[in-house]
Structures are given as C-alpha cells and as structure tokens.
Amino acid sequence: MGQKVHPKGLRLGIIYNWSSRWFFSNKRAYRDNLQSDIKIRESLMNKLAFASVTQIDIERAINKITLIIFSVKPGMIIGRGGKGLEDIKKYIGQYIKGLDKNKELKLDIKIEPVKKPYLNAYFVGQSIAEKLVRNFPHRSVVHNAMNRVTEAGGKGVKIQLGGRIAGAEISRREKYFQGTIPNSTIREEVDFARYPALTKSGYIGVKVWICK
C-alpha cells in the first residue's frame, strides 16, 4: 500500500525516451558526464525560464554534444537573427570547458516548439506555481488549469498541492481530479511533473499528472 512509481520512469523505453542519450564504458567518464548533464540542464532551465522551457534532452557522441530544447516560446530563445542561440552557445561552451576537460567537443543546439503546452505537465505545474506566488486563490487557479487541459484534448488530469496552502498555519495536501488517470496502465501516455512555488509563507509543492 502506498508504494508509488514515477509515471515516466515506469514507461521509459516504451512510451518515453531517456532525456540523456549516450553510452560510455569508462566508469569515470560516465560519472563526469552524468554530473555535467545535471548541471547543464539545471543552469539552462533557470536561464531560459522566461521562454517556458519544459524539457532539455542531451545527446553525446565522441566529439559532439547536441542539446534539444523544448520550449513553449521558441522565438524568445532564438532572438533576432539567431543572436539568442549564439549567446546560449557561448554560455554552454564555457560551461562545458569547465566540466569536460576535452576541449575539442562540438556543440549543437536545436530548439523544438511545444505545440500543445496545456498537455505538458511541467508547463501546467509552472503556470500554477507562478500564480500561487502572486497570491491568486489556489482553487480557482487549479480548476482553471484543469479546464484548459481538458479543452486541449487531455483524457484526464490530477493536481496535488502540498504545503502551507493560502498561508495556513498547518501544512496540508489537497488533491484535485478531472477525467481518468490510469497510473499503472503502461500503454497510456501519462505525463508527470513537480514544481515548487516559493510563497511568502513557505514552499508549496505542485504535482501534475496529465493523461494525454
């Protein structure tokens, strides 16, 4: 009872692909590349938060690194005449040199648009968190988000808030459902994301499940 499996981890290799795609037999290279992937992903997610980046995939070959950035507003990343892309290349290029001692690595960046943002759990969680930080009433924010997900064509959505909701003295958890969320059915495409909202009274955790 109460043993939970990550919805994406359960479907890895069946519906979802790995967000880091590479293979190194050398144990030290594996450790260094894993750490650099985590740091690159975290730094880019923070730097490009204004463009609503939902996912960053990293592919590594022997002398090449490819970053695939999924964004709701890709034009804001690319900038005028591709200036934004050049800035990101410089930023990540310096970062890679600091992390990876091999200086001959080539960097390639691809920007992919998110066609239906309200079927993306990370974007929905981010939009809810931003409104909670601005002190919007939490129930109307959640119900509005759930309605948008169903309008976008989602079969079902589940949203959970945890923390000092609405500035309450004691923290609690609230769950909201709409439609069906078959968590244990592997063939169903269930997207999941968690996002923290730092309010005046502390963190409120936002968890979103979307059945596409």
Side-chain angles (χ1 to χ4, degrees), residues 55-66:
Q55 184 181 333
I56 296 171
D57 288 0
I58 300 172
E59 294 178 349
R60 286 176 186 262
I62 296 166
N63 294 320
K64 188 180 177 184
I65 295 178
T66 305

Side-chain angles (χ1 to χ4, degrees), residues 124-125 128-129 132 159-162 193-197 204-208:
V124 173
I128 291 169
L132 291 177
I159 295 170
Q160 180 181 299
L161 304 179
R194 51 168 75 92
Y195 198 93
I204 294 175
V206 182
K207 287 184 179 179
V208 181

